[in-house]
Amino acid sequence: MAEEEDAFVYDEASGEWISAADAAAKAGGAAEGAVEVRDSVGNLLADGDQVTLIKDLTVKGAGQTLKRGTLIKSIRLTGDAQEIDCKFEGIKGLVLRAEFVRKR
């Protein structure tokens, strides 16, 4: 057990060796600082969720309109409280505002 207390872990962010206890505390603090992304009705969104559009959206640069009720599969959170990254056929790099989607 004394070996676990004396263990050190390499922290890639700072480039230094820190104690395992400090690393665990730092990881816990990062999880607490995570951004919560909520859809139009207040449901908590997570990576991989499916969402439905609640409004027709014109996609700039694609010359296409996504209609209300369109299903978007496998979203990814961006770290911004109001933006989600997703894929849709024919549109690369689609970023939607969370206020225009509802969790399915």
Side-chain angles (χ1 to χ4, degrees), residues 72-84:
I72 305 292
K73 298 179 182 180
S74 188
I75 65 167
R76 289 181 308 277
L77 303 180
T78 61
D80 186 343
Q82 282 299 312
E83 292 183 351
I84 56 174

Side-chain angles (χ1 to χ4, degrees), residues 7-71:
F8 284 88
V9 179
Y10 184 74
D11 181 27
E12 292 183 17
S14 66
E16 299 176 353
W17 289 92
I18 59 175
S19 70
D22 290 342
K26 190 173 183 180
E32 292 173 5
V35 177
E36 287 188 352
V37 181
R38 297 195 178 266
D39 68 359
S40 61
V41 292
N43 296 323
L44 189 61
L45 296 174
D47 286 338
D49 283 347
Q50 293 182 358
V51 295
T52 305
L53 296 178
I54 62 167
K55 177 181 176 180
D56 290 352
L57 299 174
T58 303
V59 182
K60 295 180 181 179
Q64 189 175 356
T65 300
L66 296 176
K67 299 292 183 185
R68 179 178 166 216
T70 301
L71 178 65

